[in-house]
Amino acid sequence: MARVEGTRSLAGPGGSPTLDEVARLAGVSRATASRAINGGNRVSSQAQTAVDDAVRALGYTPNPAARSLVTRRTDSVGLVVPEPDERVFSDPFFARTLRGVTRVLAERDLQLVLLLTRPGEEEARMLRYLRNRHIDGALVVSHHRSDSLADHLAALDLPCAFVGRPWTSADKVAYVDTDNLAGGRQGASALIERGCRRIATIAGPDDMSAGVDRLEGWRSAMREAGLATDAVVHGDFTERGGEIAATTLLERHPDVDGIVAASDLMAAGALRVLTASGRSVPGDVALVGYDDLGVAERTVPQLTTIRNPISEMAEQATRLLLQQIDGDSSVRAMRVIYPPTLVRRDSA
Amino acid sequence: MARVEGTRSLAGPGGSPTLDEVARLAGVSRATASRAINGGNRVSSQAQTAVDDAVRALGYTPNPAARSLVTRRTDSVGLVVPEPDERVFSDPFFARTLRGVTRVLAERDLQLVLLLTRPGEEEARMLRYLRNRHIDGALVVSHHRSDSLADHLAALDLPCAFVGRPWTSADKVAYVDTDNLAGGRQGASALIERGCRRIATIAGPDDMSAGVDRLEGWRSAMREAGLATDAVVHGDFTERGGEIAATTLLERHPDVDGIVAASDLMAAGALRVLTASGRSVPGDVALVGYDDLGVAERTVPQLTTIRNPISEMAEQATRLLLQQIDGDSSVRAMRVIYPPTLVRRDSA
DNA sequence: CAAGACCGTGGAAGCGCTCTCACACCGAGT
DNA sequence: ACTCGGTGTGAGAGCGCTTCCACGGTCTTG
């Protein structure tokens, strides 16, 4: 009992208190103490309070390693970010996602492990990490076409959920996305209804599903209206990319009277170029952005844009993941698609 | 031996391979296998290769829970972000920090656990988490005055390092920072040398050490030059905050001919307001920003600013943390201060 | 009033790993 | 020849926890 060995600050002899000490103090067995701590099934209220008191007195917290050794759960999930470019992190999209994820995770006292992978060996390392169940599940912020993550995860039968439709194995894993096709269409339609006739688009990168789908939506709306679909330039979703794309666009098609950009940042860049070229927005050229993550309200004029409920999407993805972790296999390949909504401001 | 229970995909009977299986396959004892896997001290080259082969054949990875149960290490460090406002994440400062941290961590195969705390009970929960050694150490992105994190961490004697000087217990914990005082001074000096005489500052929040120090630096340079130090407005480091501050500033002191902003984002906001008010930059009003994290190059005109080597700072902080984890107590209260450097561009 | 159902409990096994310790073996020194 | 330091090895004891199982007690039910 009276182990004497270099008393640490708090918590009696030798480090943090163990279940054993709690049990002893509460006057029950380790088994009962364990039960009391984990939800208290089959525990008399008397024992329960005794244990509760002891826990409090000792400042006890279960040793997670010991626990997960036997339960085979780690109570942590990984957030996989392929290509952790600085851009990814400073992107408001990612920030919102993180917010949604942590909100849900906090409810259940789960931890978030950040798994960043640069291409190459790093990916192998992470796959090994995932394969050996160091985490209960993985949340993937899907980005580029190149990563075959979805394939691997599907093969692993590790619970996982994607934010944004994965490029491959989209039918085998759970994911949450917005209807980017409809969004692209809405952007174009808004301009068409407004009376624009020479409408261009600054599309996203063509190795990201969001980029491709939005472009396709724009195309279909344009075709339906009998308008030309040749004024297409690609950007990389950044403000700078928007500037470059807009410059190219104005060179090639100086007669544009409307532009649909696949992200607000690109729209903001385009806006700057348009203004600099002496065109008024929306007077000479009407402009529609995409995302509505804050940027859209800070431009002059404020951007008309398509809103994505990013935070909700991330929450939903996390819920989907938790359900899988809890053994509900019915959601393994579920997809949840949110509708985008047009937000009318001043640029169109 | 021949456990038969729903064979999982890979790895023989019942789940992922254990050390025991590796040992058996290699024809050695568990102890030897363990040694071979962990650096191979006192292992014959014969046994070593046998184990290596077995590991490869089985696709074995040590169970981290079991391992950390006995080693008392988790091979993961926490990144504590008090107040995980969306702003924090979308801030390029944070993005750079994260990059520096992960770069160092990757070298050692350590995992990053994200610890976000909203004020209140959340903080208690995290403290409990830290206290019970679920992680080997904590990296804190210090932010606000309110959180008494440093005090608690110092009391816990859990290895930790701060990025940015903590408000309290700065003498008890390791931290990395830039010399914000010198930076503030440099900003003011640049304008003074340029010939500005009515110099204002858009300071940061006064509950963040970076905000306070930069302001103090500005003040001291101004005093030395015999200039008035009354034109001070506070902002919250955001672009919007910069706009508001600049507007107030122009109202109160329409005669300003120079402004030092405590962040590039605020400078960008101010720039917009200045331009809108018909003032040319740097012609009528010279402007200096702070941080140089990319924003400064994207404004028109590009911002003259004070550069902070964020990434290096984060790396350094991580190294400091790892040293502590490795038992080097000499760095427990070490501080590393990076010098800021003036980057001349077009706005001043 | 006996027979079962059920509840709360503690003993004990074991999760997969590391690490101490004792042991066998080797070549080198006396 | 005998001891000695050194080296590679395996048996075994745990790390702190959950959980199966058996057990006594109480409460129903026929």
Side-chain angles (χ1 to χ4, degrees), chain B residues 332-344:
Chain B
R332 270 195 59 162
M334 182 174 284
R335 68 190 62 178
V336 177
I337 311 293
Y338 282 78
T341 55
L342 182 72
V343 178
R344 289 190 192 279

Side-chain angles (χ1 to χ4, degrees), chain A residues 19 30 34 38 60 63 67:
Chain A
L19 183 60
R30 224 169 53 241
S34 174
N38 299 306
Y60 170 80
N63 178 322
R67 173 178 277 181

